[in-house]
Amino acid sequence: SGWATLALLVSPMSWALGSVLGRRMPMPQGMMAPAAQMLCGGALMLTFGLLRGEHLTAMPDARALAAFAYLVTFGSLVGYTVYGYLMRHTSPSVATSYAYVNPVVAVLLGVVFAGESMSPLSWVAMAAILGAVVLLTRKR
């Protein structure tokens, strides 16, 4: 739909804008910086969800709750904290290289743990992605 397409276009632009502006704005020190950002983001998402009338229709099963706990722990608490650290201590191009590395890691985890297979073209694409990350992280 049009709204979904708009969201897919605006989301990465908003993330990039926030990343650039976040380097220039006064932020809380230490672990409070990513915590404040996650709390504000969570409050906004909760507000929008409530305004849209979203609610749980049934209690999620144990597997869904475990997946949620994993995403909260590693996707948010660990991942976002590391991203914030990288944004403060490296260039934006290095910090945002996660966008290239995460899909590679996800595919490799699928190969190792889920028995997925990769075509030769997939290996070439993965090498190109990792090569680009190496070029981004090299010193000038």
Side-chain angles (χ1 to χ4, degrees):
S1 73
W3 286 110
T5 303
L6 181 64
L8 287 172
L9 292 173
V10 171
S11 296
M13 291 187 289
S14 299
W15 183 273
L17 179 65
S19 295
V20 171
L21 291 178
R23 289 175 59 92
R24 295 186 173 111
M25 296 176 65
M27 299 295 284
Q29 295 299 313
M31 298 299 286
M32 192 57 201
Q37 293 170 357
M38 285 188 280
L39 286 170
C40 289
L44 282 171
M45 294 299 291
L46 177 63
T47 301
F48 285 129
L50 292 173
L51 289 174
R52 286 184 39 92
E54 296 178 2
H55 62 280
L56 286 176
T57 57
M59 184 64 181
D61 65 3
R63 187 171 178 198
L65 291 174
F68 178 73
Y70 170 82
L71 289 174
V72 166
T73 303
F74 294 103
S76 294
L77 298 176
V78 173
Y80 196 66
T81 301
V82 169
Y83 178 76
Y85 175 85
L86 289 173
M87 283 302 293
R88 288 187 306 277
H89 294 91
T90 66
S91 68
S93 62
V94 171
T96 57
S97 65
Y98 79 91
Y100 308 109
V101 175
N102 284 359
V104 171
V105 171
V107 168
L108 290 176
L109 288 174
V111 168
V112 172
F113 293 111
E116 297 174 359
S117 62
M118 289 183 51
S119 70
L121 186 58
S122 296
W123 286 105
V124 171
M126 193 174 295
I129 291 168
L130 293 176
V133 171
V134 167
L135 290 175
L136 281 172
T137 58
R138 285 184 22 192
K139 298 271 184 195
R140 294 190 197 275

